[in-house]
Amino acid sequence: MGRKFFVGGNWKMNGNKKGVDEIIDFLKKGPLDPNVEVVVGVPAIYLEYTKNNLPGNVTASAQNCYKVPSGAFTGEISPAMIKDVGVNWVIIGHSERRNVFGESDELVAEKVAHALEQGLSVIACIGEKLEEREAGQTEAVVYRQTQAIANKIKDWSKVVIAYEPVWAIGTGKTATPQQAQEVHLKLRQWLKNKVSDKVAEETRIIYGGSVTAGNAKELGKEGDIDGFLVGGASLKPDFVTIVNAKQ
């Protein structure tokens, strides 16, 4: 298959310099599986500090960006700014951006497209809410969200798709490995049908939603789960265990 296992840590709006130093310390101690790509999503204010202090086998990512290079958008940061401080990754469309801050599929897609045009690699997040899953709409929702992105981009080589069922984020509920695999497999088939065989084969689809040191190994065994996007657990030494889930 050749898809490199990918583990992202999303620190969200957490931490201070002391906390960042503590995370960097356990990442340096590791040891981290050398066959896994490890990226941590850092609050914008700590991006450059973190990037300059992380061990060489861990990469920093922004948690969000806007869809234009500059302008009168108070509080936003642009891909150009992210690149200017030496960071090459960004998380876009996280469920909190969609559901707390009201970002539409269209806006998320525009942001993904602009970030890619500027040379960033993107973790593009999709996923359904509890009421959508209970209504049997999981596939319709994730296809719709992915279609919006597919409408705006041609080159998928710098995109990682993060499937995060909203009902499983920070709730302690996790999709079973089988539930997660089912959605990942259907997403890959969708990419094959709607984009290309190559994109379907090469694009990494990672799972996010209450991933822990306890469930990572079972999730990681599934054939179409190419890694994880980890929230709270990425702030703790358990993150090392999650990174090493494939060992």
Side-chain angles (χ1 to χ4, degrees), residues 42-161:
V42 181
I45 199 164
Y46 298 122
L47 256 181
E48 191 167 20
Y49 177 81
T50 303
K51 191 266 304 183
N52 290 339
N53 289 284
L54 281 171
N57 56 350
V58 181
T59 306
S61 169
Q63 295 180 5
N64 184 36
C65 66
Y66 199 49
K67 63 179 181 178
V68 292
S70 61
F73 302 102
T74 301
E76 291 289 340
I77 61 172
S78 69
M81 293 171 177
I82 294 166
K83 290 207 74 168
D84 191 44
V85 297
V87 172
N88 294 304
W89 278 93
V90 63
I91 301 169
I92 295 178
H94 189 278
S95 65
E96 290 153 6
R97 299 301 316 174
R98 292 176 184 269
N99 298 313
V100 179
F101 298 100
E103 294 188 3
S104 65
D105 294 348
E106 179 78 3
L107 176 58
V108 169
E110 289 171 347
K111 287 161 66 160
V112 169
H114 179 61
L116 292 171
E117 284 162 10
Q118 295 294 304
L120 291 182
S121 295
V122 174
I123 301 168
C125 302
I126 59 172
E128 82 283 11
K129 294 185 281 200
L130 180 60
E131 58 268 28
E132 292 167 334
R133 172 166 280 266
E134 289 177 342
Q137 295 176 338
T138 294
E139 289 160 48
V141 171
V142 297
Y143 294 165
R144 185 195 79 222
Q145 293 168 339
T146 311
Q147 182 69 63
I149 294 167
N151 290 343
K152 303 280 186 196
I153 72 171
K154 294 282 185 284
D155 182 1
W156 288 77
S157 62
K158 289 189 170 183
V159 177
V160 172
I161 296 174

Side-chain angles (χ1 to χ4, degrees), residues 177-243:
Q178 295 73 29
Q179 284 175 319
Q181 164 63 16
E182 182 184 7
V183 177
H184 283 229
L185 177 60
K186 286 178 176 172
L187 267 170
R188 204 173 299 287
Q189 290 168 338
W190 186 93
L191 288 170
K192 185 175 182 177
N193 294 335
K194 299 289 187 177
V195 186
S196 73
D197 287 0
K198 185 174 189 290
V199 168
E201 181 68 26
E202 295 179 2
T203 301
R204 291 174 290 184
I205 306 174
I206 63 175
Y207 172 76
S210 296
V211 177
T212 66
N215 61 27
K217 211 171 249 312
E218 289 303 311
L219 285 162
K221 285 178 184 170
E222 298 293 339
D224 290 285
I225 297 178
D226 302 314
F228 312 116
L229 184 58
V230 184
S234 68
L235 304 169
K236 303 167 189 161
D238 273 0
F239 186 60
V240 173
T241 307
I242 296 170
V243 169

Side-chain angles (χ1 to χ4, degrees), residues 26-27 29-35 38 55 57-58 239-240 243-244 247:
F26 70 65
L27 289 172
K29 282 179 184 165
L32 303 176
D33 184 340
N35 298 311
V38 184
N57 56 350
V58 181
F239 186 60
V240 173
V243 169
N244 296 335
Q247 287 183 328

